Amino acid sequence: MRVRNLKLLASTLLLSGMTAPPALAQIQGDLDQTGPVIHETDLMTSWGRAVTAQNAWRSYPRPQMVRSQWLNLNGQWDYAIAKDAAGKPSAAQGKILVPFAVESRLSGVRKPLMPDDRLWYSRSFTVPSDWSGQNVLLHFGAVDYAAEVWVNGALVGSHKGGFTPFKFDVTHYLKPGDNTLEVRVADPTSEGSQARGKQALNPHGIWYTPVSGIWQTVWLEPVPALHIAEVRAVPDIDKGRLDVEVALSGEARDGDAVRLTARAGGKVIATRIVRAGRHAALDIPDAHLWSPDDPYLYDLVAELVTVEPPLGGEDKEAAAQRRKIRFTEKEAQAYAALTPRGGARDTVKSYFAMRKISIGRGPVEGQPAMLLNNKPLFQNGVLDQGWWPDGLLTPPSEEAMRSDIVFLKKAGFNMLRKHIKIEPAQYYADADRLGILIWQDMPMAGREGQFVVGASQSQAVFSSEDMAQQQFELSSMIGHLRAFPSIVTWVVDNEGWGQYDSRTLARFVKGMDPSRLVDADSGWLDVAADSSDLRDIHTYEEVPNRPGRDSARAIAIGEYGGIGLPMREHLWRPGERNWGYQSATDAADYQARYRQKFAEIVRQAKEEGLSAAVYTQTTDVEDEINGLLTYDRAKSKIPAEEFAKLAAPLYAPQKR
């Protein structure tokens, strides 16, 4: 939202009979008010009505690193809410359906969690008997915000960060038969400086209902004591190879090796053995490139195997010789020639795509463009908030989550900007398979006084502790998601919300993942021009503004649109506080306004060298009615086919 247009927006919306979005200062100031207010809406999705304790999020939660054995712990847990000073409650207050946040309807609770409250969870579980002799990992997909975890009364660990997965090895805390799992959660929401996205204690306008506690799958997994912890695969289409790094859970010996196997359509196309803890490269001849029109994926299997160490065996002299060639081509060749002894000790199944995202020559002379696989491709996207009326941050089901991408593809979009939220991992696997590009935002952080505004000339100041936490969560996001080829851009900051030292953060992100683009500042204070791949403006005018030309960066409109059209049977709060950046009176008016905006996007793409545009937004969200779809996903404001017809000129071949 642009500050200089707020009065115009307000007057326009009031004249049209809609409630205007409050001025930015008021929006931000309201975050300090007490709450939260949990609105008990009747609005639900069709998928939400089908949710039960038996079917709630049953799919494998880590699609990029699959093992054959696991145990889902979603379902009914005991819960209680108590003040922090009161300590652990003496008894449960009821049941909560995991993995839905305590404030959500689908949790079965729908109660607020104040900053000085603590949310307690407990349940029992039994480790399957055929896991004997293996270590047991306890995984949490996401818990907002600070979690402490006990098994059988012993503290096994703690974690801060509301959007990324974490795990604990609980092997030594387990006993035969029933085991007790307890979790304590604290969440300051908008009273803290932590990454929280769109959550606010006083939800209204562009700020939504708080999400506290467990909101993604909880699960157990058996593994060997030394096991594969991470698989990182980076394609290089120019060299026709896949660079792979496999990280282990602990110290590897000279006899530990990793065997990598790539397959296309079930046929082995490349295999290699490397010493554990080393980089590997697999040749991928005649690569089948991934794109939104052809989302082709290869299979990749990583196995931890045992080999006879090269250079003479395991005596001291041989070990000394191996130390001399560590991390050299000679070492790589020696291990590549070895044959494993026995079967694999650990096996994970993954996949990859051969695709490249870069900045290069575009169709308009002197204006660089975003390239996919070395060719210009206009990225026609939507701002995708990923909120649901019944599950809040948690989609009601895997099918529901997938349906948004299916709709966007049908409507002619080839990109979405995942807006200051991190989805369950299954979402990104769906994007990989369905074929849609993703700009992934870092969920915003900061208190109200740390929000930079449109007229600001400097960035916010954070404590060293807060910066360290933000950078930990930023690196956790990249580490968690960089295996998914659909993600092509990391967005570090949105509209100055907690913006600090953008240049350093952009360089940090590029250093972690040089294979993708970095958008340092989406909208407003552009202070990292030498570290950002994009010049990205936000424009909610009736006819979108154009970004200024940039000889070094691609230009993009990171947000535009925002046409509001209320559909009375599908509102979060019928008759109250519903607003859009602009107001349409009916579907015909909506389409005319959309056509006017989109025609300017097409013009800028053809004549100005615009590389991407992001329409606000996929769905209505709570009081916002800016969506292409209603909040319950039951209605499209106009048919998907009409959106697709308007988008067609963007994909017509262009001369270079």
Side-chain angles (χ1 to χ4, degrees):
M1 190 186 313
R2 300 173 69 98
V3 172
R4 62 188 177 86
N5 293 321
L6 285 170
K7 291 183 179 179
L8 176 61
L9 281 168
S11 61
T12 301
L13 295 174
L14 286 170
L15 286 171
S16 65
M18 296 175 64
T19 303
L24 183 64
Q26 183 64 39
I27 290 174
Q28 295 174 348
D30 282 350
L31 298 181
D32 289 334
Q33 295 182 13
T34 58
V37 177
I38 306 301
H39 175 59
E40 296 194 3
T41 182
D42 292 327
L43 192 65
M44 287 192 74
T45 64
S46 60
W47 302 280
R49 286 189 285 272
V51 169
T52 68
Q54 290 70 42
N55 67 16
W57 279 87
R58 309 312 298 178
S59 64
Y60 190 82
R62 195 184 54 206
Q64 267 286 10
M65 211 173 86
V66 178
R67 289 191 176 94
S68 58
Q69 292 183 302
W70 70 295
L71 179 64
N72 193 316
L73 296 184
N74 292 340
Q76 295 285 2
W77 293 40
D78 293 324
Y79 89 94
I81 298 173
K83 296 300 179 186
D84 186 24
K88 180 180 175 180
S90 59
Q93 296 169 358
K95 296 289 185 179
I96 185 169
L97 181 56
V98 170
F100 297 103
V102 68
E103 296 91 346
S104 72
R105 179 171 182 167
L106 287 177
S107 72
V109 179
R110 202 151 51 169
K111 292 180 180 178
L113 189 76
M114 298 299 292
D116 61 345
D117 287 338
R118 297 297 178 265
L119 171 59
W120 291 81
Y121 293 85
S122 65
R123 65 157 292 161
S124 62
F125 66 91
T126 302
V127 177
S129 58
D130 60 352
W131 292 11
S132 177
Q134 301 188 80
N135 285 25
V136 177
L137 303 181
L138 171 62
H139 294 269
F140 292 84
V143 179
D144 197 353
Y145 161 69
E148 296 170 286
V149 180
W150 290 263
V151 172
N152 294 324
L155 179 66
V156 300
S158 62
H159 178 267
K160 285 185 177 181
F163 293 89
T164 51
F166 59 95
K167 64 182 181 295
F168 304 112
D169 188 329
V170 298
T171 309
H172 301 300
Y173 302 93
L174 299 174
K175 62 183 182 180
D178 284 347
N179 293 269
T180 300
L181 170 59
E182 295 174 292
V183 182
R184 180 175 69 179
V185 176
D187 185 11
T189 311
S190 48
E191 286 193 3
S193 62
Q194 81 289 347
R196 57 185 164 89
K198 286 289 194 84
Q199 303 173 59
L201 288 174
N202 180 30
H204 65 286
I206 63 171
W207 305 102
Y208 312 143
T209 302
V211 169
S212 302
I214 299 168
W215 67 276
Q216 290 188 29
T217 293
V218 185
W219 56 294
L220 294 169
E221 175 184 39
V223 294
L226 181 68
H227 56 271
I228 295 170
E230 189 175 349
V231 178
R232 299 191 289 268
V234 179
D236 188 332
I237 69 169
D238 298 323
K239 295 181 179 178
R241 76 180 192 192
L242 183 75
D243 292 300
V244 186
E245 294 176 341
V246 176
L248 299 185
S249 61
E251 178 71 20
R253 300 179 182 275
D254 288 339
D256 297 324
V258 171
R259 178 168 55 195
L260 297 164
T261 305
R263 291 182 173 87
K267 180 182 178 181
V268 174
I269 59 169
T271 186
R272 188 173 179 86
I273 293 177
V274 297
R275 188 198 185 280
R278 301 294 189 264
H279 174 272
L282 300 179
D283 291 329
I284 309 296
D286 303 316
H288 189 155
L289 302 184
W290 184 98
S291 71
D293 290 332
D294 185 12
Y296 186 85
L297 299 174
Y298 292 84
D299 294 318
L300 179 67
V301 176
E303 299 168 288
L304 177 61
V305 296
T306 302
V307 297
E308 182 70 32
L311 302 179
E314 298 185 0
D315 58 73
K316 290 184 178 180
E317 183 177 347
Q321 291 299 314
R322 286 192 293 273
R323 280 197 296 272
K324 292 179 180 179
I325 63 168
R326 284 181 178 178
F327 299 98
T328 67
E329 182 59 27
K330 185 176 180 180
E331 180 189 56
Q333 291 176 359
Y335 275 86
L338 299 176
T339 300
R341 299 184 306 191
R345 292 146 56 190
D346 188 21
T347 301
V348 296
K349 296 179 180 179
S350 187
Y351 65 86
F352 65 95
M354 296 300 290
R355 70 101 183 91
K356 176 184 177 182
I357 187 72
S358 60
I359 303 295
R361 181 187 172 193
V364 174
E365 187 66 31
Q367 177 54 62
M370 301 174 76
L371 310 181
L372 180 68
N373 300 331
N374 295 322
K375 297 178 181 179
L377 175 68
F378 189 88
Q379 296 190 21
N380 177 32
V382 289
L383 197 70
D384 196 278
Q385 313 265 16
W387 284 73
W388 300 80
D390 35 25
L392 301 179
L393 282 184
T394 310
S397 70
E398 298 91 330
E399 181 187 2
M401 181 177 67
R402 190 180 307 114
S403 73
D404 279 358
I405 301 176
V406 171
F407 169 81
L408 292 174
K409 290 279 291 185
K410 186 177 180 181
F413 294 95
N414 64 3
M415 179 265 280
L416 62 87
R417 179 180 164 206
K418 181 50 63 177
H419 192 39
I420 54 178
K421 178 200 176 181
I422 299 171
E423 293 283 0
Q426 296 97 316
Y427 179 90
Y428 301 94
D430 287 337
D432 294 341
R433 295 185 180 100
L434 293 170
I436 196 162
L437 305 169
I438 293 179
W439 294 14
Q440 177 62 53
D441 287 13
M442 174 62 193
M444 75 89 175
R447 297 181 176 88
E448 185 274 323
Q450 294 166 317
F451 284 13
V452 173
V453 299
S456 299
Q457 296 176 323
S458 62
Q459 300 177 86
V461 175
F462 279 68
S463 70
S464 295
E465 181 180 357
D466 286 345
M467 288 190 292
Q469 180 64 31
Q470 175 76 346
Q471 286 154 216
F472 165 74
E473 294 188 50
L474 178 60
S475 63
S476 296
M477 177 186 76
I478 295 168
H480 170 44
L481 297 179
R482 63 181 161 192
F484 296 101
S486 53
I487 298 175
V488 294
T489 301
W490 301 115
V491 181
V492 179
D493 179 77
N494 175 74
E495 288 190 352
W497 297 354
Q499 179 178 344
Y500 74 92
D501 203 357
S502 290
R503 182 176 288 106
T504 297
L505 293 180
R507 290 173 177 169
F508 172 71
V509 171
K510 182 66 79 171
M512 279 197 71
D513 183 10
S515 72
R516 290 182 171 89
L517 303 182
V518 174
D519 185 356
D521 302 302
S522 183
W524 295 7
L525 191 58
D526 180 21
V527 295
D530 60 346
S531 306
S532 182
D533 294 305
L534 303 180
R535 180 175 184 177
D536 175 351
I537 71 165
H538 294 181
T539 168
Y540 284 104
E541 288 74 12
E542 289 193 15
V543 176
N545 290 333
R546 67 173 180 85
R549 292 284 186 92
D550 195 306
S551 62
R553 297 182 290 175
I555 56 175
I557 295 177
E559 293 182 27
Y560 79 101
I563 304 169
L565 177 62
M567 302 190 80
R568 296 301 174 190
E569 301 302 316
H570 307 278
L571 295 176
W572 175 256
R573 267 188 272 245
E576 298 180 28
R577 305 177 65 188
N578 300 304
W579 70 272
Y581 289 96
Q582 296 171 18
S583 174
T585 55
D586 54 28
D589 185 30
Y590 180 97
Q591 185 167 358
R593 291 172 180 270
Y594 185 91
R595 185 184 298 275
Q596 180 185 33
K597 291 177 182 291
F598 206 83
E600 175 60 13
I601 298 300
V602 173
R603 188 199 70 78
Q604 290 189 31
K606 303 287 188 182
E607 300 177 13
E608 307 290 347
L610 185 72
S611 275
V614 180
Y615 181 84
T616 301
Q617 55 197 9
T618 304
T619 73
D620 296 346
V621 183
E622 299 199 357
D623 294 333
E624 277 193 73
I625 52 170
N626 294 311
L628 307 174
L629 293 167
T630 56
Y631 196 14
D632 58 4
R633 279 71 167 174
K635 297 288 185 182
S636 177
K637 304 296 176 70
I638 59 175
E641 294 80 5
E642 294 301 317
F643 291 119
K645 287 179 184 178
L646 294 173
L650 288 173
Y651 306 129
Q654 298 187 51
K655 295 181 180 180
R656 296 181 65 187

